[in-house]
Amino acid sequence: MRMSYEDFADELSRSFPRTPERFQQIVSREVSAHMKPVKNTGRMTKRKKFYKALLPVVACLVLAGSTVAAARLPVFQDWLDGLGINAERAEQSIVHGDETGEAIIMETTAGSEADGSSPQELPLFQVTDAYYDGATLMFWAQPANEYFELGDHVYINDVDSRLEYVAETESGSGIYECKVTVVDPELQKTDTDVINVKVQVYTSPDSRSDYAFTVKSDQFGTAAQNSGNVTGMDFGQIVSYQVTVSPSVINLHLDWEVREEGMMEILRWGDYILEDASGRRLTHEEWLRSNGCSDPEQGADGMITFSQDLEIKGFDASSPTMTLIPVRVSWDANGSQIADSEEVLEDCAVTIDLTE
């Protein structure tokens, strides 16, 4: 089922309770960048595509988006602009169907006079452009029918992956941006120059077809992976971390163990400054795509444990390290941030190794 950005904003307003000013502003930015809400699926908060259903707010959820580019730019340019410093690298992996001959091969299906098409074989939709870097598959589709919806699961080289959203790039354009997240670690790191994509396509509410298309390119990337821990900090430690790095997104999972509740609250909201190996810094408004965390638990030794998942955009994917610098912020009784209250906790900085 298709949903415009405006419809999504209206539904979000109806479904979510009133929140402090800070979070209203964050959600507003998120809607403008057609990001997705999240749902609580147990211990950790998880992302879910927005066009199927809207889900209740969960604890420790922060979303942030990027500015949408001008409509006169190519349809994929809006998405590229959100990648910041990684945009140029990502653009090299975009396959353009109108420039590359047989690089995008669409499956066909027989038309009929009943649906207004000729009896010749026709594709259910045409992929105009595609991108793949091991962590994310993006494709821009022009459907043959007015009704266009995809099923929840998308198979990339027969591996189940997660459809995040389908959204019309501009009202009335007839071109839909489709984002798929690769969740299988083996697929993420597999080097390939051919991806076969299988989807379920709804051409009406009660009509569904299995469909496939193939994209060929020698510019596809892989997502680097690393894991480790960070100890020796006065306020606690990262018992373990796992990181997946690609131009489209950096996913960082952190298992925290913290001594004091005050420090735990600072960390769990994700108000970090991120610094790459060259010293370039990003505020949380610039890098934060989503932040989900578990409910904190206090052990018999007094240490507070919780897990955190950060989805990061715009951070230099070629940097060998990422330093997280916590920021303490003060709030008034209404939940609004007190102006100029930010305190950068340089002595609490944590450095993550991004290399494999």
Side-chain angles (χ1 to χ4, degrees), residues 159-356:
V159 178
D160 192 6
S161 300
R162 184 176 65 237
L163 179 69
E164 297 290 351
Y165 66 78
V166 176
E168 194 169 20
T169 57
E170 183 181 356
S171 180
S173 68
I175 297 179
Y176 294 82
E177 182 176 288
C178 309
K179 180 181 179 182
V180 180
T181 294
V182 180
V183 295
D184 183 82
E186 289 302 315
L187 181 59
Q188 289 175 345
K189 64 184 181 182
T190 299
D191 192 12
T192 182
D193 57 7
V194 178
I195 55 171
N196 180 259
V197 182
K198 297 178 182 178
V199 297
Q200 289 186 330
V201 184
Y202 291 81
T203 54
S204 70
D206 57 357
S207 178
R208 182 184 70 188
S209 299
D210 293 326
Y211 191 69
F213 63 91
T214 300
V215 185
K216 301 178 180 179
S217 174
D218 59 2
Q219 297 298 314
F220 291 149
T222 58
Q225 300 170 2
N226 195 22
S227 61
N229 58 47
V230 183
T231 60
M233 299 175 290
D234 291 339
F235 64 88
Q237 64 178 328
I238 296 176
V239 178
S240 66
Y241 68 80
Q242 296 84 42
V243 62
T244 302
V245 182
S246 72
S248 62
V249 66
I250 297 176
N251 289 309
L252 177 60
H253 175 86
L254 303 168
D255 291 317
W256 283 103
E257 189 173 75
V258 183
R259 302 184 190 283
E260 298 179 358
E261 183 177 355
M263 190 63 190
M264 177 272 295
E265 290 293 344
I266 293 172
L267 297 172
R268 71 196 297 255
W269 287 111
D271 285 337
Y272 303 112
I273 289 175
L274 297 189
E275 181 178 278
D276 64 23
S278 70
R280 175 177 177 263
R281 290 188 170 190
L282 298 176
T283 64
H284 78 277
E285 291 92 348
E286 295 171 316
W287 66 260
L288 181 60
R289 183 170 286 166
S290 70
N291 168 32
C293 64
S294 65
D295 293 330
E297 298 179 1
Q298 189 163 21
D301 59 356
M303 298 295 285
I304 304 171
T305 62
F306 66 96
S307 296
Q308 184 174 41
D309 282 302
L310 302 176
E311 189 177 7
I312 298 164
K313 62 182 177 67
F315 186 89
D316 187 356
S318 65
S319 175
T321 60
M322 173 190 291
T323 299
L324 287 71
I325 308 171
V327 179
R328 179 186 286 118
V329 178
S330 298
W331 310 93
D332 63 23
N334 296 320
S336 297
Q337 180 177 327
I338 299 174
D340 302 321
S341 65
E342 298 91 343
E343 178 186 358
V344 181
L345 305 180
E346 300 280 359
D347 58 342
C348 297
V350 179
T351 299
I352 304 296
D353 184 1
L354 301 183
T355 59
E356 289 189 284

Side-chain angles (χ1 to χ4, degrees), residues 26-269:
I26 290 172
V27 171
S28 177
R29 289 197 301 270
E30 186 67 5
V31 171
S32 70
H34 58 76
M35 303 305 296
K36 287 70 59 193
V38 304
K39 72 175 182 178
N40 193 343
T41 57
R43 184 165 180 263
M44 298 299 299
T45 59
K46 298 294 183 181
R47 290 172 291 121
K48 185 69 175 177
K49 65 182 187 301
F50 66 72
Y51 69 93
K52 281 287 189 180
L54 292 173
L55 303 158
V57 172
V58 294
C60 196
L61 164 65
V62 181
L63 297 173
S66 58
T67 302
V68 178
R72 61 182 174 80
L73 296 175
V75 292
F76 52 86
Q77 193 65 49
D78 288 359
W79 175 73
L80 277 175
D81 286 348
L83 303 185
I85 196 171
N86 301 310
E88 183 176 354
R89 178 179 168 190
E91 188 171 12
Q92 298 173 1
S93 296
I94 293 181
V95 178
H96 304 290
D98 60 350
E99 298 176 356
T100 49
E102 294 299 312
I104 301 177
I105 303 171
M106 308 302 301
E107 191 175 80
T108 57
T109 184
S112 66
E113 295 180 0
D115 62 15
S117 63
S118 63
Q120 65 184 350
E121 289 191 338
L122 298 171
L124 291 176
F125 61 88
Q126 181 67 49
V127 173
T128 61
D129 306 277
Y131 169 89
Y132 181 76
D133 66 6
T136 303
L137 166 66
M138 299 289 300
F139 62 93
W140 290 263
Q142 191 167 14
N145 300 316
E146 182 177 350
Y147 190 94
F148 182 62
E149 180 184 352
L150 300 181
D152 290 357
H153 298 273
V154 176
Y155 291 84
I156 301 173
N157 292 348
D158 295 323
V159 178
D160 192 6
S161 300
R162 184 176 65 237
L163 179 69
E164 297 290 351
Y165 66 78
V166 176
E168 194 169 20
T169 57
E170 183 181 356
S171 180
S173 68
I175 297 179
Y176 294 82
E177 182 176 288
C178 309
K179 180 181 179 182
V180 180
T181 294
V182 180
V183 295
D184 183 82
E186 289 302 315
L187 181 59
Q188 289 175 345
K189 64 184 181 182
T190 299
D191 192 12
T192 182
D193 57 7
V194 178
I195 55 171
N196 180 259
V197 182
K198 297 178 182 178
V199 297
Q200 289 186 330
V201 184
Y202 291 81
T203 54
S204 70
D206 57 357
S207 178
R208 182 184 70 188
S209 299
D210 293 326
Y211 191 69
F213 63 91
T214 300
V215 185
K216 301 178 180 179
S217 174
D218 59 2
Q219 297 298 314
F220 291 149
T222 58
Q225 300 170 2
N226 195 22
S227 61
N229 58 47
V230 183
T231 60
M233 299 175 290
D234 291 339
F235 64 88
Q237 64 178 328
I238 296 176
V239 178
S240 66
Y241 68 80
Q242 296 84 42
V243 62
T244 302
V245 182
S246 72
S248 62
V249 66
I250 297 176
N251 289 309
L252 177 60
H253 175 86
L254 303 168
D255 291 317
W256 283 103
E257 189 173 75
V258 183
R259 302 184 190 283
E260 298 179 358
E261 183 177 355
M263 190 63 190
M264 177 272 295
E265 290 293 344
I266 293 172
L267 297 172
R268 71 196 297 255
W269 287 111

